[in-house]
Amino acid sequence: MRHIDDDERRARLARRHGLVDGCPDVVSATRAMTVLHATEAATVHLALWARVPGVTLADVDAALYDDRVLVKQLAMRRTLFVFPRDLLPAAWGSAAARVAVQQRKLLAQRVVGAGLADDPTAWIDSVLADVLAEMADGVPRTTRELRDLVPALEGRFSLGSPDKKWGGEFPIGAWVMTTLGAEGRVVRGVNAGHWRLNKPTWVRTDHWLAEAMVPWPEDKGYAELVRRWLATFGPGTETDIVWWLGATKTIVRRALADVGAVQVALDDGVGWVLAGDDEPVEPVAPWAALLPTLDPTVMGWKERSFYLDPADTPYLFDSNGNAGTTAWWDGRVVGCWVQDEDAVVRVVLRRDVGAEATEALEAEAARLTGWLGGVRITNVYASPQMKGARLG
């Protein structure tokens, strides 16, 4: 069995993720990562900034909203991602379909709990049909605008305790639109707010993509997602893939067999790569990178010890396992970055990394400060290290 040690895994990561040589454009960078995390809207732009030399905000928005070669879709782990357009049918038939079933169950619970209907299935089917009918004109609309057209979306439900951060009373409309999105029947169109904020308009998928795209069979869809994950993140463990995919071991094992994946030895266990992808990789020169919250590199594996000191996890991830911003040196996470009141990016290190690394990271911070041009990023998923640095 071929042995791929941690040094080689970090070299693979550096090259395949566009963090040393870069990618030529935003589409190739997204393909290189399989998908981009989009739960925080700014993550998409910042993840591409880190991988595409000279990229502009206009480049990203053009791919998302003009050319529509990148599309936002709720999928793995009930998380919002940016997909290359051609990967959507695979996701619709597998990971997104799984999430859609979960989303419908949650929506039904909200409908009954709020007293909106005794038969939640009939209510959901009726309201979804009404929303799609109102969207038949192809005009992008926010959830607020759709609530004006479909009164049922105004129904409200309670979630959690009102005195908690995430508790209170909420309109059911957002859950309806999320369900339609998970099912692939609508997509997030042009953003109605600033690029760093998640304020989508909604458009029917058949209007936005203007072509018939049929969901793949479940097994074929999962196999394609796993194939692309291995090309991006391999070698990885079964545990990594199960977590990233938000699926079961049975699903993952079948997909690994379907793509003909092969096992390799790792420093701390056994991993998987695509057949023929076990050739040695040359080392790379030391490199620096600043990555955003929930960056796809940071969130690509569940077992992260080959690039992250386990002792740093409580400082750089929140209690739910969501990564904050990260600072990288030579294939390892060494800290995070924050902005001060003047929107200047500042690197916060976990330990002394030496003069060369410090200088390189400070250069990246200056580059990012200039690119942001005074814009301050608001992070929902701020790590303890980020919060402490801001307070300090």
Side-chain angles (χ1 to χ4, degrees):
M1 187 184 298
R2 162 91 155 92
H3 179 219
I4 300 179
D5 63 21
D6 286 351
D7 287 339
E8 187 173 347
R9 293 184 75 184
R10 289 189 289 269
R12 282 177 170 243
L13 177 159
R15 287 200 171 95
R16 297 188 181 197
H17 295 195
L19 296 174
V20 286
D21 299 322
C23 298
D25 54 60
V26 298
V27 176
S28 62
T30 304
R31 288 183 179 281
M33 298 311 304
T34 301
V35 289
L36 304 176
H37 277 258
T39 304
E40 287 196 4
T43 294
V44 177
H45 298 75
L46 293 173
L48 291 169
W49 167 83
R51 295 170 171 87
V52 184
V55 71
T56 66
L57 295 171
D59 294 333
V60 180
D61 287 348
L64 285 168
Y65 309 129
D66 297 330
D67 302 332
R68 302 173 189 178
V69 288
L70 303 179
V71 182
K72 293 182 179 181
Q73 172 67 46
L74 198 70
M76 298 76 74
R77 307 188 313 280
R78 200 169 171 267
T79 298
L80 185 65
F81 293 95
V82 166
F83 278 78
R85 181 168 169 158
D86 69 297
L87 188 54
L88 284 173
W92 287 340
S94 57
R98 182 182 178 88
V99 169
V101 171
Q102 298 168 351
Q103 187 64 30
R104 277 218 175 212
K105 290 180 180 178
L106 288 170
L107 179 57
Q109 293 172 9
R110 305 288 181 247
V111 169
V112 173
L116 299 178
D118 294 327
D119 184 347
T121 300
W123 187 95
I124 292 171
D125 289 341
S126 176
V127 173
L128 265 56
D130 289 344
V131 172
L132 291 172
E134 291 292 347
M135 299 176 72
D137 58 7
V139 176
R141 293 185 176 90
T142 63
T143 303
R144 170 68 270 180
E145 291 168 334
L146 287 167
R147 282 159 55 188
D148 292 336
L149 297 174
V150 183
L153 299 183
E154 290 283 5
R156 304 184 74 82
F157 68 94
S158 296
L159 183 63
S161 175
D163 59 347
K164 299 295 183 181
K165 182 178 181 180
W166 302 110
E169 190 175 74
F170 305 93
I172 201 78
W175 283 77
V176 170
M177 299 312 301
T178 300
T179 300
L180 280 168
E183 294 178 350
R185 300 162 77 182
V186 302
V187 296
R188 290 160 173 81
V190 177
N191 201 36
H194 195 279
W195 65 267
R196 74 189 191 284
L197 303 175
N198 193 5
K199 295 186 177 180
T201 58
W202 296 94
V203 189
R204 278 182 22 175
T205 303
D206 55 347
H207 292 152
W208 189 251
L209 300 182
E211 64 179 291
M213 298 180 68
V214 180
W216 288 7
E218 181 183 64
D219 57 347
K220 183 181 177 182
Y222 276 124
E224 181 63 10
L225 291 176
V226 169
R227 185 185 71 79
R228 297 209 191 188
W229 185 92
L230 288 170
T232 297
F233 299 102
T237 66
E238 179 183 282
T239 298
D240 291 327
I241 306 171
V242 168
W243 173 80
W244 183 88
L245 200 58
T248 64
K249 289 183 179 180
T250 299
I251 288 172
V252 168
R253 289 170 181 171
R254 182 181 65 191
L256 287 168
D258 287 345
V259 301
V262 297
Q263 286 189 318
V264 294
L266 306 177
D267 282 355
D268 57 355
V270 175
W272 294 89
V273 296
L274 290 172
D277 190 30
D278 55 357
E279 292 299 314
V281 173
E282 292 297 319
V284 297
W287 53 277
L290 299 181
L291 302 183
T293 56
L294 302 175
D295 185 85
T297 293
V298 188
M299 300 295 291
W301 297 269
K302 182 177 177 62
E303 299 179 315
R304 306 179 174 109
S305 61
F306 75 98
Y307 69 84
L308 175 70
D309 186 334
D312 290 340
T313 300
Y315 299 93
L316 301 175
F317 288 71
D318 69 16
S319 59
N320 293 318
N322 298 302
T325 61
T326 50
W328 290 67
W329 174 248
D330 198 19
R332 293 178 174 87
V333 176
V334 295
C336 69
W337 60 270
V338 295
Q339 290 176 284
D340 64 20
E341 293 183 355
D342 296 321
V344 174
V345 175
R346 180 164 59 91
V347 177
V348 183
L349 296 172
R350 292 291 304 145
R351 58 190 59 83
D352 182 13
V353 294
E356 180 186 5
T358 299
E359 182 179 353
L361 287 167
E362 288 178 350
E364 283 296 285
R367 188 169 73 91
L368 181 53
T369 297
W371 190 81
L372 288 170
V375 172
R376 292 185 66 190
I377 304 301
T378 302
N379 297 115
V380 175
Y381 298 100
S383 66
Q385 184 87 53
M386 294 168 65
K387 293 177 181 177
R390 288 169 180 169
L391 290 174

